[in-house]
Amino acid sequence: MIILGIETSCDETSVAILNNKEVISSFTFSQADIHAVFGGVVPEVASRNHLMKIKPLFDKALAHAGMKAEDIDLIAVTSAPGLIGSLFVGVSFAKGLAYALDKPIMDVHHLAGHILSAELSDSSLKPPYIALVVSGGHTHIYKVTDKPLNFTLLGRTIDDAAGEAFDKVSKMLGGSYPGGPFVEKLAVTGNNAAIPFPIALKKEDNFSFSGLKTAVLNQVQRGDYSAEDIAASFQHTVAKTLYLKTSRIALKEKINSMVVSGGVACNKALRNYFSENGEKDKLVIHFPAFDLCNDNAAMIAYAAYRMSEGVDINIYKDLGFAAGDTRHEISAP
Ligand code: KG4
Ligand code: ZN
């Protein structure tokens, strides 16, 4: 089955073609440089850039795969959550194609893509596993069981997402958007034990990063430590916090397989922290390949593949859904 994936929920325009679980082509245009001058994503600018990029990326993906539009069996598009104007571009493009080609179309929850993305990198990975999605909008822990979309929310941030904290700390330290890569680079020469930042809600399964953000701001204003030491200590505290709660849940659930996905999972210090501690706790940690951590259409097409297993895809010949809605709600806002 040939699946076309489309992702435009935030500031990445992405189109991918999968043959079942195999990625045949995948092209992403990141608008990060365009938004960097504003210090964050400007929704209207994002939608206009999606509009300019989506058709050229679709043509490129087809050409790279050596396929025609008619060869597509199923269209998968991120329908929620995300910036409404951005979602609207992808959903409208996908609906137009589905109508013109008379093909089924599946609306995919963005988080389903992130949750399942590690399976795309490692075909031996099978549920059950505990998935930690750490991105700019989410820091959510799910239990993933055998049925597709059978995701149980076990913990989440009650305020900022981990990626959002990286973006804000980057700004405090003079960096640009997106903040994660800037903070990670600065942290390389810093001492991660210089400042003992606090771990919020230590005994609970939920996260809170707003106190950490304020603690970093206080240190920046006090000026006692270098930007490198602040970045390294902050990054280490985020990794420790994420691992502490996710591993505790995994051990409680008696599930020894864990996935860490989403943009923040690009962070190498975080990956090392999880791998080293996972080994001690007898937990097997899986990360998607780097290009599958940030927003991408391959993970959306893959989620559609998983959702279509054992199902007649013609049930998806229905254009009656809107950008911002999903017919496959999972327990997340
Ligand atoms: O998954 P993603 O591309 O988009 C959302 O769904 O939000 O994640 C973007 C987030 C941003 O907050 C960005 O700063 C963070 O991922 N990020 C990182 C790194 N690369 C991206 N955070 C820490 N270290 C990184 N290397
Ligand atoms: Zn995302």
Side-chain angles (χ1 to χ4, degrees):
M1 179 170 60
I2 303 297
I3 310 170
L4 172 75
I6 295 175
E7 156 65 41
T8 63
S9 65
C10 189
D11 60 341
E12 265 98 23
T13 322
S14 187
V15 177
I17 297 172
L18 266 63
N19 183 358
N20 293 326
K21 340 179 183 188
E22 193 198 344
V23 181
I24 306 293
S25 57
S26 177
F27 293 98
T28 301
F29 172 75
S30 171
Q31 302 175 13
D33 291 346
I34 298 170
H35 297 285
V37 291
F38 303 107
V41 178
V42 181
E44 177 64 19
V45 174
S47 335
R48 286 171 189 265
N49 278 280
H50 285 309
L51 207 51
M52 286 191 281
K53 290 292 174 192
I54 191 144
K55 176 68 167 54
L57 283 173
F58 170 66
D59 292 341
K60 200 167 160 183
L62 275 182
H64 182 83
M67 288 179 187
K68 300 187 296 299
E70 290 73 22
D71 297 331
I72 298 164
D73 298 308
L74 174 66
I75 298 167
V77 61
T78 305
S79 63
L83 301 171
I84 191 67
S86 293
L87 290 166
F88 192 73
V89 175
V91 167
S92 303
F93 187 83
K95 278 185 172 187
L97 264 182
Y99 184 71
L101 299 168
D102 192 25
K103 301 284 181 180
I105 177 169
M106 197 185 282
D107 51 312
V108 176
H109 196 289
H110 183 74
L111 283 189
H114 277 307
I115 291 169
L116 297 170
S117 60
E119 292 183 19
L120 199 46
S121 298
D122 179 356
S123 56
S124 70
L125 171 63
K126 300 263 183 299
Y129 54 81
I130 298 293
L132 167 69
V133 179
V134 257
S135 68
H138 295 89
T139 301
H140 285 47
I141 303 173
Y142 289 95
K143 180 160 84 173
V144 182
T145 48
D146 55 341
K147 282 198 205 108
L149 292 189
N150 203 349
F151 308 138
T152 312
L153 183 65
L154 298 176
R156 53 163 297 177
T157 181
I158 57 165
D159 42 54
D160 288 3
E164 205 178 339
F166 268 96
D167 293 335
K168 286 174 181 164
V169 166
S170 165
K171 244 186 219 174
M172 294 174 201
L173 297 175
S176 61
Y177 172 85
F182 177 83
V183 173
E184 179 170 14
K185 206 165 156 210
L186 212 55
V188 171
T189 52
N191 171 9
N192 68 13
I195 313 161
F197 284 125
I199 292 181
L201 311 178
K202 220 169 178 172
K203 297 211 166 98
E204 294 179 27
D205 291 341
N206 284 336
F207 300 100
S208 165
F209 289 106
S210 64
L212 175 60
K213 210 176 54 188
T214 311
V216 171
L217 183 63
N218 287 340
Q219 286 299 343
V220 173
Q221 287 171 343
R222 220 172 283 158
D224 294 343
Y225 295 94
S226 67
E228 286 79 1
D229 282 354
I230 296 176
S233 301
F234 160 76
Q235 183 176 265
H236 187 62
T237 306
V238 173
K240 251 167 92 175
T241 308
L242 294 172
Y243 182 80
L244 170 78
K245 291 167 187 241
T246 316
S247 61
R248 196 166 55 203
I249 287 180
L251 295 170
K252 203 160 60 191
E253 294 287 330
K254 298 191 172 40
I255 294 178
N256 75 343
S257 186
M258 200 198 281
V259 161
V260 188
S261 61
V264 181
C266 288
N267 189 289
K268 293 190 200 73
L270 180 135
R271 285 181 178 235
N272 289 340
Y273 189 90
F274 268 76
S275 299
E276 284 164 14
N277 285 282
E279 213 170 299
K280 280 189 218 145
D281 290 333
K282 300 201 169 27
L283 296 168
V284 184
I285 319 283
H286 303 265
F287 303 97
F290 285 99
D291 59 343
L292 292 169
C293 286
N294 284 307
D295 289 348
N296 65 88
M299 68 180 189
I300 301 304
Y302 180 72
Y305 166 77
R306 291 276 273 104
M307 283 152 65
S308 69
E309 283 173 311
V311 168
D312 175 4
I313 58 171
N314 286 308
I315 63 167
Y316 290 106
K317 277 202 163 173
D318 172 11
L319 297 169
F321 68 94
D325 290 343
T326 172
R327 293 176 290 193
H328 306 283
E329 196 53 73
I330 66 174
S331 46

